[in-house]
Amino acid sequence: MENELIQWLSQPGLTHYLMIGALLFCIGITLVLTRRNVIMILMGIELILNSVNLNFIAFSRFSVITLDGHLTALFLIILAAAEAAVALAIVLNIYNRFKTIDIDEISLLKG
Amino acid sequence: MELQFLGIGILTWILFLPIAGLIIILLIPGDKLKAIRITATAITGIQVILAAVIFRHFDRAIEGINSIEGFQFVEKYRWITVEAVPWFGRIEINYFLGIDGLSVLMVILTALIGFIGAISSWTIKKQVKGYFALYMLLVTGMMGVFVALDFFLFFIFWEVMLLPMYFLIGIWGGPRREYAAIKFFLYTFVGGILMMLVMLALYFSVAVPDPETGEMYHTFNILHMMNPAYYVEGSILAGVDTTWRYVAWMALFINFAIKIPLFPFHTWLPDAHVEAPTPISVILAGVLLKLGTYGLLRISFPIFPDATMYFMIFMAVLGMISIIYGAFCALAQDDFKKLIAYSSISHMGIVVIGIAALNTQGMVGGVLQMFNHGIITAVLFLMVGVVYDRTGKRGLYDFGGLANQMPKYTGIAMIGLFAALGLPGLNGFVSELFSFLGAFEAYRWIAIVSVFGIIITAGYILWTLQRVFLGNTPEHLTSLKDLTTREMVCFVPLIILIILLGVYPAPAIELMNTSLSYLTQIVTVPAY
Amino acid sequence: MEQSMLHLSLLILFIPLAGFLILVFFGKKLPRQGDWLGTSLIGITLLMALYMLISKISSMSTETLTYSASWVILRNSSFGATSIDLGFMIDNLTVVMLVVVMLVSFLVHLFSIGYMKGDARYSRYFAYLGLFTFSMTGIVLTHNLLMMYIFWELVGVSSYLLIGFWYEKKSATNAASKAFIVNRIGDAGMFIGIMILFIHFSTFTFEPIFSGLAAGDLPFQSTAWLTAAGILIFCGAVGKSAQFPLHVWLPDAMEGPTPVSALIHAATMVAAGVYLIARMFPMLTAEALIVIAYIGAITALIAATIALTQYDIKKVLAYSTISQLGFMVMALGLGAFAAGFMHLVTHAAFKAGLFLGAGSVIFAMHNALHKKNDHHTDAQDIRNMGGLKSRMPVTYWTFLIFTLAIAGVPLTSGFLSKDEILAGTLAFSSLNGHYLLPIIAFTVAGMTAFYMFRLFILTFHGNHADESRISGLMESPLTMTIPLLILAGLSTFVFYSFNPLGASGGWFFSAIERPASMIPEALQPASAEIFNQAVKALHTPALILSVLIAGAGIFGAVWVYEWKKSSADVISQNFGALYKGAFNKWYFDEMYQYVFVGGTFILTKILRWFDEKIIDGIVNGAATLSERFSVMNRWFDENIIDGLVNFTAWFMGILGFVLRRLQTGKIQHYLAFVVLGVLVFYFIFV
């Protein structure tokens, strides 16, 4: 049992990467759903994006040798950067308007 | 006969000039009253000049009526063409204009009365811009009916005319204007719907081969509808003397009878006349009523010769009743405008018995009576307008002794009234004479009874003269001024025409003689 | 000769029209308001007419000159072109009539210069006289029925304008309208008659119609229609010549200025009816002629009885005019063509004279009363006159000549023509057995002598009831007396026949011959030859009888009014109801007023009610019905259809109210829903 675990750990394969990715994704989701600070939520989103990146690269590495996954990951990194810039701008605006970045305070769309 | 300016046919010019005028008037700011009035007058004045050109170049020897070669100043373009609609085939609506001996006099009348109406509209004070804009639209509508040779086009102009008329009565009219306007609109509209049904029935019954491809397609061309060979076998209006043809004729007749107006469809007229402002009464009586008889002659007679022959006596009897009945009702009125309205009914009855006679002299008399009545009632309504503008009254008992107070006015009014009475030497007599001569040849007793209408006519006209113009001038009328120059400008051309056509009617008769005797021939001696 | 005749007749026709136009437009600006212009223009045309008369009559021919010009050509595709012509026809009848019209018109113009002096519409008056002369000339010159009808109506209008000349007076305008409308009734009949002829012959011109008839081509191939056409055209004459039953307008027409009465309502226009019968004579059937003769006789009798009782000088003359017109019409109906027409001419002279004489009297009376500031005394009532003889000698003597002429005393013109007519009635009854006609004719002749002398004596003889009232009375000025003198001269026999006891040898009878009848023989009246023989045979008894009867009438009048041997009041009381009937004009006016005018008005009221309540009621009823229906529709629309729509909306609202709770506005909740949703889908679909 122990040997199997050690063996499994010593031979890293696709599954490992996916596990890490899933872990990152879950952390990201948790962050997004639970934190009240907008900045923290943004960081959660970054984590989700990176977990996706990890998956792309993993799949790319362990399937037929193509560079599709790598390319997509590259795009995603750029996208994430852009997203972060826009999002931060939004956050700044929110702060300007509401004098807070607590997401619970901002509920104008409440029905 | 082709006549073009700047590459556009003269009929298009005369037809759409008022639309150009409408646009110009809309561009002029609403407070520049003088500019608006001058524009409208100038536009209608140009129409009169164009009408004179048409009169000058019109070929008196061409027959017209049912062949495109017979029409003059023809313009024919495809207007709406929709190819291969399911179960409908090809829809083709043409922009098809042309005039023959039947319509030329009406075009001239419309231009002339439109011009006179525009001059007399200078007294309108309320919302001048809107008034003249609608007026221009009205003139185009009327002119369009007289020059259109495509049934669809005819129908469009027929309805286009309604709308401005409705507003002109409904906004610028007298106290009961809304009632009168709605009554007018509904009456005419009911007729319009009947006409539309017949139009569609004719459309589906008539099919002509395409000259290039040979493909059969339905058409709205009125001339094609007159040719029995084009009727599709088994279609609703095919054949001769069928029930459906009678029904269709009747539907058309009701539409036209409302416009004429013929007893018992006449009651919109007194109300509309009484409430309408003076120039609109002039247009209404001068041109609009003629559309009814014109429609009968242009559409009912040549398209349904069989039904026309069948209903000839019926038409004549209605004409006779209108003559007598209108005259009696006129005798009972105490409102000046109502009196003239009923006299119009009576006089249009003469047109009907003339054209229902279906012989040349009757037709000529009838169409000439249309023209003459247009001019005479224009004078009469302008005449009422003059005193109405000055006193705000038009009851026959409100006046008296105007002969001393307003001698020029009285002289002109007397000529107008005597022309309406059918005095020889004035134009009313000539057309009444020919109408009666025609009617007498066709059906003696109806004509004989109708002649007694002229006695009653003398009665109400002389009584009017006596009540309004003769006698002592009452105190409240002693400050009345005689005619102004602008009013004289309205009256004088009409009076000149009244006398000219009364003394020498040959120029007017020559214009239409060929076409009308041909029309008589194709109705009484059908092609089948 | 022919050309000059045409040019002259054109000038005669249009010079008066030119006068009318000039005076209407510029009359007020001309010196003396243009009276000299109108008068001299008519004077010129009179000279032309006289020239035409002399050259035509002296040529001793009865030929007819005609001139035609096309007015309208009506082309017909089936039977070619019909030309409607206007034109002149000049025969002896025309030129005689032309001279009569122009002469009387000229004298009346002259007379009016004095009579109408100072009137507010002086120039307008002369303009209207010109218009009338133009129209009357048209009737005389025409060669076709259309022009006849046209000018027939135009004289009607000029008569209307002149009767209503003083239109401030209600009675004048009433009389004018009455005259026009009564005439229109006759004209409507005439119009129908003309239509019958035109429809059959396709022409209005006399000559082709007559030649068509001569060829046996009857209207609609029926003798009944031919007779009907004749009688219907005669209807026009009944109206214009004031024959029974349309005679009621003429007495009222005396509301016009007196010279107008002389010109239009005595001498010329009313004689147009007689002229029309003369023109249409060739196509009148024996039956139509009998109708005409009896209408004339009845008219003569009725009017004479009324004239016996009237007191208004102009009314008496008006009824005597009607009576004399009845005589003429009767004469033409009998076939005494030349006699009837001659009576027209002689009557024109002496009746115009009588009216102008009466005008002179009224003028003098009016002025005299005016000086006394007396505005209540009626200047036309003969009871207010009397003893004017010495004050107005010229008027007196001329009036006497006219009265003798109308009474039919030998040596006057009236005797010649009346005697021939009376002989004609005797001849007719001997041929056809209509004995009523001579009896009526002789009775009327006696009555005429009686009432004319009654008028004459009451006006001029005796003493005036109130001498002071007429102290300022003077003879009329020269312009008024000269026409009287001329007309008095023309009322003597010499101008018509050199034999004072018989006209048949004179130029008139040789110039005016009865035209040959153009209709099939079976329908013709007795031929001219047979008739003339009978007249010749009966001429002497007729002559004696007529002189006796006229003498009796005059004697009666002198007996009662001059010598006062018996009282007029007693006589009238003896006649009781008859007198009352005649005095009230046999109640024709009342009856017409009640039956026709009242009936028409009731009918118009009923028709107006019918129009406003029934026909318009149906229209408005239809409108109301649709309105009610639309109200119902509106309820249905608002409650049922719109109800469904609103219910849907309401339901949706409820649903939304529930579901809005999900909308928290917190972005994390939404994300949680997304995640949940993904999970749910995952578990359902995978």
Side-chain angles (χ1 to χ4, degrees):
Chain A
M1 181 69 192
E2 213 175 292
N3 281 341
E4 281 178 11
L5 185 70
I6 289 167
Q7 195 175 358
W8 181 76
L9 283 173
S10 64
Q11 293 175 320
L14 180 61
T15 324
H16 299 82
Y17 294 100
L18 292 184
M19 297 272 287
I20 299 289
L23 200 67
L24 271 176
F25 184 80
C26 286
I27 294 167
I29 286 284
T30 316
L31 270 175
V32 168
L33 287 185
T34 55
R35 302 309 294 224
R36 290 160 66 184
N37 192 318
V38 181
I39 305 290
M40 296 308 282
I41 291 174
L42 279 178
M43 291 169 85
I45 291 171
E46 290 300 315
L47 280 185
I48 293 170
L49 284 171
N50 281 322
S51 73
V52 172
N53 265 351
L54 199 60
N55 278 15
F56 273 120
I57 299 206
F59 280 119
S60 180
R61 169 71 183 75
F62 289 100
S63 62
V64 189
I65 313 292
T66 57
L67 287 174
D68 291 1
H70 296 83
L71 277 175
T72 314
L74 268 173
F75 273 118
L76 263 178
I77 291 166
I78 296 158
L79 190 101
E83 177 253 311
V86 174
L88 279 171
I90 292 173
V91 171
L92 269 176
N93 268 315
I94 287 174
Y95 181 76
N96 274 341
R97 195 173 168 90
F98 297 99
K99 299 291 168 212
T100 175
I101 47 171
D102 185 342
I103 200 86
D104 278 3
E105 303 281 310
I106 309 159
S107 61
L108 280 182
L109 277 175
K110 185 180 187 320
Chain B
M1 183 79 212
E2 289 279 328
L3 209 58
Q4 293 189 332
F5 304 109
L6 310 175
I8 300 173
I10 187 165
L11 289 184
T12 303
W13 276 107
I14 202 168
L15 177 57
F16 286 110
L17 257 180
I19 294 292
L22 166 73
I23 294 165
I24 297 171
I25 286 172
L26 289 180
L27 293 176
I28 299 173
D31 51 349
K32 296 232 163 77
L33 300 187
K34 201 159 186 192
I36 292 173
R37 288 170 181 158
I38 287 174
T39 311
T41 315
I43 292 280
T44 46
I46 297 171
Q47 275 192 306
V48 173
I49 295 167
L50 290 179
V53 172
I54 289 177
F55 176 79
R56 170 84 181 68
H57 291 279
F58 188 81
D59 186 339
R60 273 83 167 153
I62 299 183
E63 284 161 341
I65 307 294
N66 68 354
S67 68
I68 188 163
E69 294 78 28
F71 280 88
Q72 308 187 34
F73 313 111
V74 172
E75 289 169 51
K76 189 175 178 186
Y77 307 103
R78 283 193 178 176
W79 177 32
I80 301 174
T81 313
V82 183
E83 298 282 353
V85 183
W87 62 264
F88 215 83
R90 182 167 126 192
I91 299 177
E92 188 172 301
I93 298 166
N94 285 326
Y95 175 77
F96 183 16
L97 309 180
I99 55 177
D100 60 2
L102 172 58
S103 42
V104 63
L105 217 50
M106 294 298 112
V107 169
I108 295 170
L109 177 72
T110 309
L112 185 68
I113 298 293
F115 178 57
I116 301 287
I119 301 176
S120 80
S121 297
W122 283 48
T123 50
I124 298 287
K125 298 280 181 292
K126 187 168 138 190
Q127 298 173 35
V128 175
K129 184 172 170 176
Y131 175 88
F132 278 104
L134 288 170
Y135 187 89
M136 292 286 110
L137 190 59
L138 179 66
V139 174
T140 291
M142 294 187 304
M143 195 62 95
V145 175
F146 289 127
V147 296
L149 291 178
D150 187 280
F151 208 147
F152 195 83
L153 206 60
F154 182 92
F155 181 74
I156 286 177
F157 284 121
W158 186 275
E159 299 288 325
V160 155
M161 204 172 47
L162 264 187
L163 201 74
M165 203 59 177
Y166 171 77
F167 286 115
L168 286 168
I169 298 174
I171 297 177
W172 287 271
R176 284 173 72 236
R177 54 179 178 253
E178 278 153 30
Y179 172 76
I182 289 177
K183 200 170 177 183
F184 164 76
F185 190 88
L186 288 182
Y187 245 119
T188 333
F189 201 67
V190 168
I193 287 168
L194 290 174
M195 180 163 80
M196 190 182 75
L197 291 176
V198 177
M199 176 177 89
L200 292 177
L202 279 167
Y203 176 76
F204 286 116
S205 302
V206 174
V208 291
D210 188 293
E212 285 152 29
T213 62
E215 167 205 17
M216 300 294 279
Y217 68 99
H218 293 301
T219 176
F220 283 107
N221 189 324
I222 294 178
L223 308 188
H224 289 329
M225 291 173 178
M226 294 176 195
N227 189 340
Y230 286 148
Y231 281 79
V232 177
E233 198 74 17
S235 61
I236 184 166
L237 292 177
V240 175
D241 285 313
T242 61
T243 311
W244 279 115
R245 281 179 75 86
Y246 289 165
V247 170
W249 189 91
M250 206 59 196
L252 279 180
F253 179 74
I254 290 174
N255 172 42
F256 295 134
I258 288 171
K259 264 273 157 57
I260 290 174
L262 214 50
F263 175 91
F265 305 108
H266 63 273
T267 54
W268 64 270
L269 184 74
D271 281 312
H273 269 326
V274 168
E275 299 307 325
T278 304
I280 300 307
S281 290
V282 169
I283 294 272
L284 198 57
V287 182
L288 228 66
L289 305 189
K290 278 79 210 168
L291 294 171
T293 37
Y294 175 78
L296 279 177
L297 289 170
R298 169 68 70 220
I299 293 183
S300 296
F301 278 33
I303 294 183
F304 300 104
D306 46 340
T308 304
M309 294 293 280
Y310 182 78
F311 287 112
M312 171 177 150
I313 296 282
F314 166 76
M315 249 195 303
V317 168
L318 280 188
M320 174 188 85
I321 295 176
S322 289
I323 294 175
I324 304 273
Y325 183 88
F328 269 115
C329 284
L331 200 52
Q333 301 305 322
D334 31 35
D335 183 305
F336 213 150
K337 272 189 155 183
K338 248 188 174 153
L339 179 122
I340 301 170
Y342 278 105
S343 88
S344 285
I345 295 169
S346 182
H347 284 123
M348 292 306 286
I350 293 174
V351 178
V352 172
I353 66 163
I355 62 175
L358 291 178
N359 50 33
T360 305
Q361 69 268 38
M363 289 268 189
V364 167
V367 176
L368 193 59
Q369 170 79 349
M370 281 155 72
F371 186 78
N372 288 345
H373 174 257
I375 291 173
I376 294 169
T377 30
V379 171
L380 297 186
F381 276 115
L382 289 172
M383 175 185 95
V384 182
V386 167
V387 281
Y388 186 66
D389 284 345
R390 284 167 175 62
T391 62
K393 291 188 184 124
R394 13 158 244 266
L396 288 168
Y397 290 102
D398 294 333
F399 300 106
L402 293 184
N404 277 340
Q405 195 60 37
M406 308 164 77
K408 274 191 241 167
Y409 173 65
T410 306
I412 280 166
M414 266 189 157
I415 292 176
L417 285 168
F418 274 124
L421 178 150
L423 186 77
L426 304 176
N427 61 357
F429 169 72
V430 181
S431 45
E432 283 179 26
L433 173 79
F434 284 118
S435 300
F436 278 121
L437 285 177
F440 192 80
E441 185 174 351
Y443 23 74
R444 272 169 229 162
W445 291 106
I446 294 176
I448 287 175
V449 174
S450 305
V451 167
F452 287 95
I454 66 173
I455 300 174
I456 323 259
T457 307
Y460 67 74
I461 288 194
L462 292 183
W463 200 25
T464 306
L465 254 177
Q466 195 178 347
R467 280 182 288 184
V468 176
F469 297 98
L470 307 182
N472 282 311
T473 318
E475 201 63 25
H476 66 277
L477 295 179
T478 44
S479 58
L480 287 192
K481 294 268 181 303
D482 209 344
L483 297 182
T484 62
T485 316
R486 190 184 52 76
E487 283 162 341
M488 284 299 268
V489 169
C490 287
F491 278 119
V492 167
L494 298 177
I495 293 293
I496 288 174
L497 267 180
I498 284 180
I499 295 173
L500 210 64
L501 285 180
V503 176
Y504 190 59
I509 289 176
E510 270 169 20
L511 268 187
M512 59 197 180
N513 194 323
T514 320
S515 290
L516 290 179
S517 64
Y518 182 64
L519 174 60
T520 313
Q521 195 189 11
I522 59 177
V523 176
T524 49
V525 190
Y528 38 79
Chain C
M1 161 91 178
E2 290 214 4
Q3 277 303 322
S4 72
M5 280 286 188
L6 172 66
H7 293 151
L8 276 179
S9 44
L10 274 173
L11 283 173
I12 291 178
L13 181 63
F14 286 111
I15 285 178
L17 180 67
F20 163 70
L21 293 175
I22 295 170
L23 286 177
V24 158
F25 288 111
F26 311 107
K28 289 234 156 130
K29 290 167 198 143
L30 291 174
R32 286 181 56 89
Q33 300 206 20
D35 57 355
W36 54 273
L37 181 79
T39 313
S40 54
L41 284 180
I42 302 294
I44 293 167
T45 55
L46 170 65
L47 293 178
M48 291 176 181
L50 277 172
Y51 171 77
M52 276 175 78
L53 175 75
I54 290 162
S55 59
K56 186 82 177 66
I57 299 289
S58 63
S59 69
M60 290 307 280
S61 72
T62 49
E63 69 167 330
T64 306
L65 312 172
T66 51
Y67 308 98
S68 245
S70 177
W71 183 52
V72 169
I73 295 176
L74 213 55
R75 280 184 300 278
N76 189 318
S77 47
S78 49
F79 54 79
T82 307
S83 171
I84 296 174
D85 295 341
L86 299 184
F88 295 155
M89 163 174 168
I90 299 166
D91 57 8
N92 291 345
L93 210 62
T94 314
V95 287
V96 171
M97 193 71 187
L98 261 186
V99 170
V100 171
V101 172
M102 288 307 160
L103 180 70
V104 179
S105 179
F106 175 69
L107 294 178
V108 164
H109 270 84
L110 203 60
F111 187 88
S112 302
I113 291 177
Y115 189 86
M116 297 299 288
K117 201 170 177 182
D119 193 277
R121 290 186 289 274
Y122 188 68
S123 71
R124 189 54 59 88
Y125 173 81
F126 283 94
Y128 289 164
L129 283 187
L131 177 65
F132 169 76
T133 312
F134 161 70
S135 323
M136 192 64 210
T137 316
I139 290 183
V140 175
L141 284 172
T142 177
H143 84 322
N144 62 75
L145 280 164
L146 178 66
M147 240 170 104
M148 182 70 96
Y149 185 80
I150 289 174
F151 286 105
W152 201 256
E153 293 273 304
L154 287 180
V155 285
V157 166
S158 12
S159 154
Y160 170 85
L161 294 171
L162 283 165
I163 296 171
F165 186 71
W166 287 313
Y167 53 71
E168 286 88 351
K169 273 199 299 184
K170 181 104 174 88
S171 57
T173 54
N174 279 342
S177 302
K178 183 174 174 183
F180 196 94
I181 290 167
V182 171
N183 268 303
R184 257 268 150 139
I185 296 171
D187 295 352
M190 180 175 167
F191 187 65
I192 296 170
I194 293 174
M195 284 202 294
I196 295 173
L197 293 179
F198 178 81
I199 291 307
H200 192 73
F201 295 105
S202 294
T203 178
F204 289 110
T205 315
F206 294 132
E207 202 277 320
I209 292 178
F210 293 158
S211 53
L213 285 170
D217 186 14
L218 304 185
F220 312 128
Q221 314 306 331
S222 126
T223 54
W225 278 104
L226 178 63
T227 307
I231 292 177
L232 284 167
I233 291 181
F234 171 64
C235 279
V238 170
K240 201 113 294 183
S241 288
Q243 298 295 296
F244 167 83
L246 299 180
H247 62 274
V248 290
W249 66 271
L250 187 56
D252 288 28
M254 297 301 132
E255 288 290 340
T258 307
V260 167
S261 308
L263 173 62
I264 300 185
H265 306 119
T268 54
M269 184 187 84
V270 288
V274 181
Y275 185 78
L276 175 69
I277 304 170
R279 272 275 172 262
M280 300 310 296
F281 197 85
M283 61 153 283
L284 296 172
T285 59
E287 286 168 41
L289 285 170
I290 289 284
V291 172
I292 293 173
Y294 270 99
I295 293 275
I298 293 169
T299 311
L301 184 65
I302 289 178
T305 54
I306 299 174
L308 289 174
T309 59
Q310 300 300 308
Y311 286 110
D312 186 317
I313 185 168
K314 287 184 74 180
K315 284 272 158 72
V316 175
L317 290 177
Y319 280 106
S320 95
T321 308
I322 298 175
S323 178
Q324 297 302 310
L325 288 167
F327 246 78
M328 299 170 208
V329 169
M330 180 181 69
L332 289 178
L334 298 172
F337 186 89
F341 191 68
M342 184 176 180
H343 198 55
L344 189 164
V345 176
T346 57
H347 174 261
F350 62 69
K351 186 50 71 61
L354 283 170
F355 266 108
L356 292 183
S360 171
V361 169
I362 294 166
F363 183 75
M365 283 287 288
H366 190 82
N367 283 348
L369 293 172
H370 197 72
K371 278 183 203 150
K372 299 270 177 223
N373 277 326
D374 180 348
H375 298 292
H376 304 291
T377 311
D378 187 352
Q380 302 191 11
D381 195 322
I382 47 179
R383 284 170 298 191
N384 296 331
M385 301 177 189
L388 302 185
K389 177 183 171 185
S390 53
R391 291 174 194 276
M392 310 181 71
V394 182
T395 308
Y396 170 77
W397 286 109
T398 52
F399 208 90
L400 178 63
I401 293 173
F402 301 137
T403 311
L404 287 171
I406 194 173
V409 174
L411 299 181
T412 62
S413 62
F415 170 77
L416 290 174
S417 51
K418 195 178 260 185
D419 175 54
E420 286 293 334
I421 294 176
L422 292 172
T425 59
L426 282 179
F428 190 72
S429 63
S430 74
L431 289 174
N432 295 11
H434 287 276
Y435 293 109
L436 204 55
L437 289 175
I439 294 172
I440 293 178
F442 279 100
T443 316
V444 171
M447 284 176 166
T448 308
F450 180 83
Y451 67 69
M452 283 314 297
F453 269 88
R454 166 178 174 266
L455 176 75
F456 179 73
I457 292 165
L458 285 179
T459 308
F460 290 102
H461 284 196
N463 294 318
H464 197 274
D466 181 0
E467 202 55 50
S468 71
R469 196 193 280 156
I470 55 160
S471 55
L473 198 90
M474 288 188 308
E475 179 61 282
S476 302
L478 220 56
T479 52
M480 290 167 75
T481 48
I482 288 173
L484 289 176
L485 290 168
I486 294 173
L487 288 170
L490 287 171
S491 297
T492 55
F493 69 95
V494 282
F495 291 96
Y496 308 94
S497 159
F498 293 121
N499 175 5
L501 293 180
S504 47
W507 66 269
F508 199 93
F509 268 61
S510 57
I512 307 289
E513 275 175 359
R514 172 167 145 188
S517 192
M518 293 296 205
I519 49 181
E521 201 127 344
L523 305 171
Q524 285 184 6
S527 77
E529 282 161 38
I530 301 173
F531 186 79
N532 284 343
Q533 275 170 4
V535 170
K536 236 177 215 132
L538 289 163
H539 188 252
T540 319
L543 191 150
I544 296 166
L545 212 54
S546 80
V547 171
L548 281 180
I549 290 232
I554 296 169
F555 180 74
V558 173
W559 178 270
V560 177
Y561 295 102
E562 179 80 32
W563 298 336
K564 302 217 184 334
K565 296 284 183 188
S566 44
S567 158
D569 294 338
V570 175
I571 298 173
S572 56
Q573 264 166 18
N574 286 343
F575 280 95
L578 277 178
Y579 175 79
K580 202 158 169 257
F583 186 71
N584 287 304
K585 303 145 194 171
W586 300 114
Y587 298 101
F588 275 109
D589 280 318
E590 286 76 7
M591 192 177 81
Y592 288 172
Q593 182 69 29
Y594 195 74
V595 178
F596 295 112
V597 180
T600 306
F601 272 88
I602 291 170
L603 192 62
T604 59
K605 292 271 149 56
I606 292 172
L607 285 181
R608 182 181 173 172
W609 173 85
F610 179 76
D611 201 57
E612 281 173 6
K613 297 289 183 274
I614 306 293
I615 297 198
D616 223 21
I618 291 172
V619 173
N620 285 340
T624 318
L625 210 67
S626 355
E627 202 195 328
R628 289 285 146 72
F629 181 72
S630 64
V631 167
M632 224 170 70
N633 236 339
R634 175 180 167 178
W635 180 87
F636 182 80
D637 200 54
E638 283 178 356
N639 293 298
I640 308 295
I641 303 207
D642 221 23
L644 272 175
V645 174
N646 284 342
F647 174 77
T648 316
W650 175 82
F651 179 75
M652 287 300 160
I654 294 292
L655 208 64
F657 193 75
V658 174
L659 290 180
R660 69 186 275 204
R661 298 298 161 88
L662 293 176
Q663 193 84 357
T664 58
K666 299 205 171 99
I667 203 156
Q668 287 166 331
H669 290 174
Y670 303 154
L671 275 171
F673 292 144
V674 171
V675 174
L676 264 176
V678 170
L679 286 178
V680 167
F681 279 110
Y682 179 79
F683 284 115
I684 291 172
F685 296 110
V686 183

